[in-house]
Amino acid sequence: MANRLEGKVALITGAARGMGEANARLFVQEGAKVLVADLLDAESERLVDELNRSRRGHAEYAHLDVTRASDWGNAVARAERSFGSLHILINNAGILNMAGVEETTESEWQRIVDVNQKGVWLGMKMAVPAMRRAGGGSVVNISSIYGLIGSGGAAAYHATKGAIRILTKTAAAEFAPINIRVNSVHPGIITTPMVEPIAHVFRQKIASAACIKREGRPEEVAYGVLFLASDEASYITGSELVIDGGYTAL
Ligand code: NAD
């Protein structure tokens, strides 16, 4: 099936690389106009150039630090100015710190909360007025399996990913009357630059503990995000889509 996002405008955070990049590529392929938003200017500009060379390319880049309200204001205004409206928000930007409860410093805790948790709240706060003007839309918040289960490390990461899960559900209730759906996605271990610093043996251990004994690919998550973003998911809100090769099934 193609054209699953025909006529839609999407803002994707953390879209310079990894899963956000895979989302941007798939969304353009499916007919969306995409605002690539990230801190990495050079990588994002390169991606946007490439997307615009494709047959269906309608992409622009906005420098957006998800912790800054003024950046959000500029990005949302840019989407409306360049593409006419905003229907889809993918809150994908996130950072990982492996430190456990005792090792996490106060400043590191705050940094992870600011990006992973505050960033998702601020994104919805700043984008919803534009989505309301567009007549409604879909928000997809990228959490993690570590928003559902523990692992014995990455304390701040777990805390923020769990917070995203429940924030998603209350936002779903708040925004249903204005025709905006809000869902969370919970990937298992996916091969992206985020997991490169993690020791190979640890990655192998996680991958082999899933029913499907390998790491996931960014596109395999992007197809789930696409479904939730599209009108095909018109009766789905406040839900959590786990894409983890069956890791949490066992
Ligand atoms: P990645 O590190 O490859 O990409 C993350 C992107 O977010 C980068 O382009 C980075 O520049 C951007 N970013 C970081 N801080 C930002 C900020 N303050 N403002 C704007 N952009 C910012 O990571 P990824 O693996 O593609 O992860 C994407 C999302 O998926 C994250 O929320 C991550 O927590 C989540 N996730 C990843 C995995 C995995 O195994 N890779 C598993 C579960 C969930």
Side-chain angles (χ1 to χ4, degrees):
M1 204 189 318
N3 303 326
R4 294 168 70 185
L5 296 179
E6 195 65 52
K8 305 286 190 196
V9 177
L11 192 168
I12 305 173
T13 69
R17 67 183 198 193
M19 281 190 256
E21 176 187 351
N23 280 322
R25 289 181 184 282
L26 184 59
F27 278 28
V28 163
Q29 199 180 303
E30 292 293 337
K33 297 183 170 78
V34 173
L35 192 70
V36 167
D38 206 292
L39 298 171
L40 302 174
D41 297 336
E43 289 85 343
S44 302
E45 297 284 9
R46 259 201 306 278
L47 174 63
V48 161
D49 283 349
E50 192 193 322
L51 293 172
N52 285 333
R53 278 198 301 274
S54 70
R55 194 173 56 85
R56 325 197 57 180
H58 284 285
E60 288 193 14
Y61 170 56
H63 180 95
L64 167 65
D65 178 340
V66 295
T67 68
R68 294 173 61 96
S70 56
D71 283 6
W72 274 109
N74 292 336
V76 170
R78 171 82 172 271
E80 288 192 302
R81 197 170 58 244
S82 296
F83 299 136
S85 53
L86 180 65
H87 310 96
I88 296 167
L89 170 65
I90 311 298
N91 275 316
N92 165 79
I95 53 175
L96 171 67
N97 176 313
M98 299 296 283
V101 171
E102 281 192 289
E103 299 80 38
T104 304
T105 64
E106 227 177 310
S107 64
E108 198 54 8
W109 176 273
Q110 195 57 55
R111 195 173 75 90
I112 306 278
V113 168
D114 280 350
V115 177
N116 292 4
Q117 185 175 335
K118 177 187 165 186
V120 168
W121 158 72
L122 202 49
M124 291 193 285
K125 179 180 170 66
M126 300 300 288
V128 158
M131 294 171 73
R132 184 192 277 116
R133 282 192 288 278
S138 172
V139 177
V140 181
N141 294 326
I142 308 299
S143 174
S144 166
I145 51 169
Y146 296 136
L148 303 171
I149 58 167
S151 72
Y157 188 77
H158 277 271
T160 57
K161 293 300 183 179
I164 290 171
R165 172 182 173 273
I166 204 70
L167 174 62
T168 295
K169 293 184 193 305
T170 200
E174 183 175 341
F175 298 134
I178 55 169
N179 198 30
I180 296 174
R181 296 179 296 101
V182 191
N183 292 287
S184 58
V185 167
H186 301 261
I189 187 155
I190 311 296
T191 313
T192 70
M194 176 177 276
V195 299
E196 272 165 21
I198 300 175
H200 187 66
V201 342
F202 188 62
R203 283 173 63 172
Q204 284 280 87
K205 207 173 132 198
I206 301 175
S208 61
C211 300
I212 299 171
K213 300 196 177 306
R214 61 170 175 81
E215 291 187 358
R217 295 184 295 273
E219 316 82 71
E220 293 177 303
V221 178
Y223 275 105
V225 176
L226 166 66
F227 169 63
L228 290 173
S230 77
D231 292 340
E232 295 160 19
S234 53
Y235 195 55
I236 303 179
T237 197
S239 79
E240 43 198 72
L241 177 59
V242 179
I243 306 178
D244 68 348
Y247 184 89
T248 54
L250 298 174

